[in-house]
Amino acid sequence: MKAKEIMTSDIVSVNEDTSIKEAARKMRDEDVGSIPVEDNNELVGIITDRDIVLKTIAEDINAQDAKCKDIMSKDVITATPDMNVKDVADLMSHNQVKRIPVVEDKNVVGIISLKDLSQARAFEDEAGEVLNDITEDDYDTFS
């Protein structure tokens, strides 16, 4: 199975000069936990709801004035549409990410989340393994 078969292709993105507040509103309206950041239709970063909390609210930064480029993660791990889903799961697990943009010719064409992996019946075990790898350190913190 290929990434393009399970990815969510109805993607909403923001420009790097979009305010963090506007990005948060788009995330709320679309019910997503992350949003790709583009410049001239090319992926340049990604912002998660966690980024907004930890890099904006916790730091007392004005979300109306600050821009996405100020808090986005720039080293984005990506997949390609023709990548094998098992390889995508391995990539997510290795990099401890819950979502991965699918990029073709520098353009975001989709996103694969743990939910997408878990809904692909043949890959339910991989989704569980990825989630376990991602949250493993979190549990160590509370023990």
Side-chain angles (χ1 to χ4, degrees), residues 16-82:
E16 62 183 353
D17 289 320
T18 301
S19 75
I20 295 168
K21 185 173 185 175
E22 180 60 28
R25 285 182 175 158
K26 281 190 175 193
M27 291 169 72
R28 175 200 63 201
D29 294 346
E30 297 297 323
D31 193 27
V32 295
S34 68
I35 194 161
V37 181
E38 297 180 314
D39 182 37
N40 293 319
N41 294 320
E42 289 186 17
L43 180 68
V44 294
I46 194 164
I47 292 181
T48 66
D49 45 10
R50 189 169 196 270
D51 290 330
I52 292 171
V53 171
L54 298 179
K55 296 178 183 176
T56 306
I57 297 169
E59 296 297 324
D60 236 1
I61 293 173
N62 183 325
Q64 181 65 43
D65 297 331
K67 306 296 182 197
C68 289
K69 65 184 172 188
D70 299 329
I71 68 162
M72 69 184 185
S73 297
K74 296 176 184 170
D75 297 324
V76 182
I77 306 301
T78 63
T80 62
D82 291 323

Side-chain angles (χ1 to χ4, degrees), residues 94-122:
H94 178 74
N95 290 283
Q96 296 189 340
V97 294
K98 297 176 186 174
R99 306 162 192 98
I100 190 164
V102 180
V103 176
E104 186 172 46
D105 298 324
K106 300 182 183 180
N107 297 315
V108 179
V109 295
I111 288 186
I112 295 177
S113 68
L114 287 177
K115 180 180 176 182
D116 297 320
L117 285 177
S118 68
Q119 289 177 343
R121 287 184 166 222

